[in-house]
Amino acid sequence: ARDMPAACALGALSVCLQGKYSVRINADWLEQANLYTLIIADPSEKKSPCLNHMISPVLRFEKTWNKEHSDEISQSHQMKRVLEGNADNAEHAYINGKISREEMEVASRKAREFQTIHMLRLFLDDVTPEALTSHRAENDGVAAIMSAEGGVFENFAGRYTGKNNLDTALKAYSGDPIRVDTS
């Protein structure tokens, strides 16, 4: 019974430490400080209350951070739309001979390089591998799946897509970069 709170606490702490620390095994071997935990217990063994207690500080932090940064988040999304509109307008102006190629490229680069600020979501529950990849990208590689139920295993096995996809979980564990392009 003591193992369950300990495993939940380690998982919650792992969320807080992701991307901040790594372990150098030797000069050319560096490991990320990621942690995967799994609690196996019968129904009604208090998994949900234990997990909820341990992740509540993470959820409070997310809520506070998002509230404190709500204006910045909104403004950054608005600025991204403006810059993308400017890039589209510059492309049309270039096609019509109204601006130089360099001016068009500057507008395009500004839109492409602008970093949008996203709401902080460190903790996820019912998430697909593809959505997890997006959340990791929005949170500088930090995300945790924490659930009292096993639905996440169904998601990675292809519940919504019909195809299993373990790459995100495997690359997240080792800290490997991941790029997704499904077009």
Side-chain angles (χ1 to χ4, degrees):
R2 289 179 290 198
D3 296 347
M4 188 183 312
C8 287
L10 287 171
L13 287 171
S14 180
V15 175
C16 301
L17 299 175
Q18 280 183 36
K20 292 179 176 59
Y21 297 96
S22 56
V23 179
R24 182 167 302 284
I25 307 302
N26 60 39
D28 61 346
W29 183 3
L30 187 69
E31 289 287 338
Q32 300 297 313
N34 292 335
L35 182 63
Y36 285 19
T37 64
L38 176 64
I39 297 168
I40 300 173
D42 290 328
S44 299
E45 291 290 322
K46 307 288 186 208
K47 296 181 298 290
S48 292
C50 180
L51 179 66
N52 291 336
H53 179 72
M54 295 300 176
I55 64 169
S56 64
V58 175
L59 294 174
R60 278 194 310 273
F61 176 79
E62 279 183 354
K63 184 177 180 178
T64 300
W65 191 94
N66 288 330
K67 185 176 180 180
E68 290 173 356
H69 294 86
S70 64
D71 288 342
E72 291 173 68
I73 293 167
S74 177
Q75 291 167 4
S76 77
H77 286 271
Q78 184 178 29
M79 181 56 72
K80 182 70 168 182
R81 289 190 303 273
V82 167
L83 292 171
E84 288 173 342
N86 289 347
D88 287 343
N89 291 339
E91 182 178 351
H92 293 296
Y94 173 71
I95 290 169
N96 294 321
K98 295 181 179 179
I99 66 171
S100 69
R101 178 177 176 168
E102 183 178 286
E103 290 171 302
M104 179 195 64
E105 289 173 349
V106 166
S108 177
R109 185 173 45 257
K110 284 181 180 179
R112 188 177 57 250
E113 292 177 353
F114 184 82
Q115 296 293 314
T116 307
I117 301 170
H118 297 277
M119 289 184 64
L120 186 61
R121 292 188 59 201
L122 301 173
F123 155 74
L124 305 162
D125 184 358
D126 184 7
V127 64
T128 64
E130 296 79 11
L132 177 60
T133 301
S134 297
H135 288 294
R136 283 186 62 210
E138 291 173 359
N139 287 321
D140 295 325
V142 176
I145 302 171
M146 300 180 79
S147 176
E149 304 302 333
V152 68
F153 296 109
E154 290 180 63
N155 292 353
F156 279 79
R159 177 195 309 186
Y160 299 114
T161 62
K163 297 179 182 176
N164 68 26
N165 182 354
L166 297 176
D167 283 357
T168 299
L170 297 173
K171 289 183 177 191
Y173 180 79
S174 60
D176 290 346
I178 184 168
R179 292 184 178 182
V180 176
D181 185 353
T182 57
S183 57

